[in-house]
Amino acid sequence: MTARRTVRERIDPRLTASLFANYRSASDALLELVDNAVDSRIPGAALHVDLAIRPGTIAMTAVGGAGMGPAELERDYLRWGASRKRAGDRIGRYGQGGKAAIGHLGNRFTIVAGRAGETRATGFEDVAYRDRSRLRTYELHERPKPVPVAEGYVRIEIGEVDRKVDARRLPARLAEVYRPLLLAGDLALTVNRAPVTPPGWELAERHVFAVRGGG
């Protein structure tokens, strides 16, 4: 009788390092993080996303979405190459974008997150994220959630940033990409606490229509 043997699939951490370079610009990597926040929207609730751009530091804070607890951090955020997202449902499906975007922008990061409906948040940090000689294991630390219980919360702070982000041009890019959500009031964006407002369009005639795309 042949003895049973358990085998486990692994991912070479050097592969994750190559994903860090898959962005054309720092702005593209930053929009990847905003996309993840937009994915967490709750129907009927406005999502607020603030981007703070400082020399050597970038922070994104999302309030009002589903948020993340310890299970989501481990199952969804720290798992490379897989995601519960499906085509036509949400923006990303391959479980790599947000993690790779952080590595593209800087060498260290801190995440603090809490689920909507819960009073506590959990967080962890990595002080040498670009060292891809091994896969990571993090210890989660619990703390009070700094927003109302009903709201989800995610804050990602990236340090040792060595990519240039033009904070003057970024609001125009954000306004273009997220225009429908901003105009509908489903999303509120700020860059260094200044609101992102889509400019008006000059139209000779206006005709309303709807297109169903991607499911």
Side-chain angles (χ1 to χ4, degrees):
M1 180 176 179
T2 304
R4 293 185 177 182
R5 180 177 178 179
T6 301
V7 296
R8 293 178 176 86
E9 187 178 41
R10 306 288 184 180
I11 180 173
D12 190 328
R14 293 172 296 180
L15 174 62
T16 67
S18 69
L19 296 174
F20 293 171
N22 278 352
Y23 294 95
R24 294 176 301 174
S25 69
S27 293
D28 287 345
L30 196 52
L31 262 67
E32 180 74 48
L33 297 179
V34 178
D35 278 350
N36 283 348
V38 168
D39 265 351
S40 76
R41 285 178 297 132
I42 297 175
L47 175 70
H48 299 265
V49 177
D50 177 70
L51 297 171
I53 314 296
R54 301 286 186 270
T57 304
I58 294 173
M60 186 205 74
T61 306
V63 178
M68 289 189 290
E72 288 80 13
L73 286 171
E74 181 176 23
R75 180 187 61 219
D76 300 334
Y77 199 85
L78 292 176
R79 186 181 180 189
W80 289 89
S83 173
R84 293 184 302 163
K85 300 176 183 179
R86 296 293 181 264
D89 177 26
R90 297 179 178 179
I91 296 171
R93 287 191 289 152
Y94 302 107
Q96 67 184 39
K99 297 180 284 291
I102 291 174
H104 179 86
L105 292 167
N107 183 49
R108 60 188 301 159
F109 72 89
T110 301
I111 293 181
V112 179
R115 281 191 294 254
E118 297 189 355
T119 60
R120 307 291 290 178
T122 53
F124 62 91
E125 65 177 348
D126 193 318
V127 298
Y129 188 50
R130 286 177 175 169
D131 176 7
R132 307 313 296 173
S133 59
R134 58 181 176 81
L135 293 176
R136 295 299 205 263
T137 300
Y138 298 110
E139 181 178 351
L140 297 179
H141 300 280
E142 190 175 276
R143 64 197 73 186
K145 191 171 67 174
V147 299
V149 173
E151 297 183 325
Y153 175 81
V154 177
R155 177 177 173 83
I156 301 174
E157 185 170 334
I158 307 169
E160 297 182 27
V161 173
D162 53 9
R163 306 283 183 174
K164 184 178 179 180
V165 177
D166 192 335
R168 294 173 300 176
R169 295 185 178 181
L170 182 62
R173 177 91 184 274
L174 293 167
E176 177 185 358
V177 173
Y178 302 105
R179 181 184 182 90
L181 295 175
L182 292 168
L183 291 178
D186 296 328
L187 173 66
L189 273 170
T190 54
V191 176
N192 294 335
R193 298 190 176 182
V196 173
T197 305
W201 287 346
E202 294 184 5
L203 304 174
E205 295 182 9
R206 184 179 183 89
H207 300 274
V208 179
F209 65 96
V211 175
R212 181 178 176 84

